[in-house]
Amino acid sequence: MDNIELGIPAGIVDSLPPDSEDTKRDMEQAVGGWERELNAALNTEEPASAVVDHIEQFESRWEAYDEYVVELRAWGQSPIYAMAWRDLHAAVIAQIYDHADLDERINRERNARIVDDGIRPG
């Protein structure tokens, strides 16, 4: 399977204030690290399972940043950085699903996990 190549959507970078070079650099480093981890996961015995583990981590972080947005607004603070990181996590998840034939494998693995947990759909 081909390696995953992740990127930061221009809309996320454009949404940051002009003096956000450190945040942009942090995002680039984070995306680079995630890309290395995901590509390593593709070379395991069960790549779909390893990738789903990563997706679940991204979803958990996405939810946390989404909660920060609400909390920051409640305190009268700007949530722009929390929104940017939240949106980055959502974009990374979308990029993973868009990669080659991972979409089908991910869905099968997630469905298998639901059944393993004893939750029956329908």
Side-chain angles (χ1 to χ4, degrees):
M1 183 176 299
D2 294 335
N3 282 342
I4 294 174
E5 293 182 17
L6 301 175
I8 303 171
I12 293 173
V13 173
D14 294 343
S15 73
L16 294 170
D19 62 342
S20 301
E21 291 303 316
D22 290 339
T23 302
K24 293 174 191 175
R25 191 172 30 260
D26 290 346
M27 286 182 167
E28 289 169 356
Q29 290 175 348
V31 169
W34 298 335
E35 185 176 287
R36 283 188 299 279
E37 290 174 6
L38 286 163
N39 286 322
L42 292 178
N43 295 317
T44 62
E45 287 185 31
E46 295 185 30
S49 178
V51 169
V52 168
D53 290 342
H54 281 81
I55 289 173
E56 288 174 352
Q57 289 176 340
F58 290 129
E59 289 172 340
S60 175
R61 291 180 196 150
W62 181 90
E63 290 171 359
Y65 281 113
D66 197 47
E67 290 173 10
Y68 295 152
V69 169
V70 174
E71 190 172 325
L72 287 166
R73 283 185 175 151
W75 285 96
Q77 301 293 318
S78 172
I80 191 67
Y81 292 105
M83 291 169 64
W85 280 98
R86 175 198 63 193
D87 295 347
L88 178 61
H89 282 83
V92 166
I93 293 168
Q95 290 175 53
I96 294 168
Y97 271 97
D98 288 344
H99 180 72
D101 63 338
L102 273 180
D103 182 27
E104 184 179 317
R105 291 180 181 195
I106 290 168
N107 288 332
R108 275 196 313 254
E109 175 64 23
R110 291 192 110 169
N111 288 334
R113 288 182 182 194
I114 289 171
V115 172
D116 285 346
D117 288 341
I119 303 169
R120 303 283 183 231

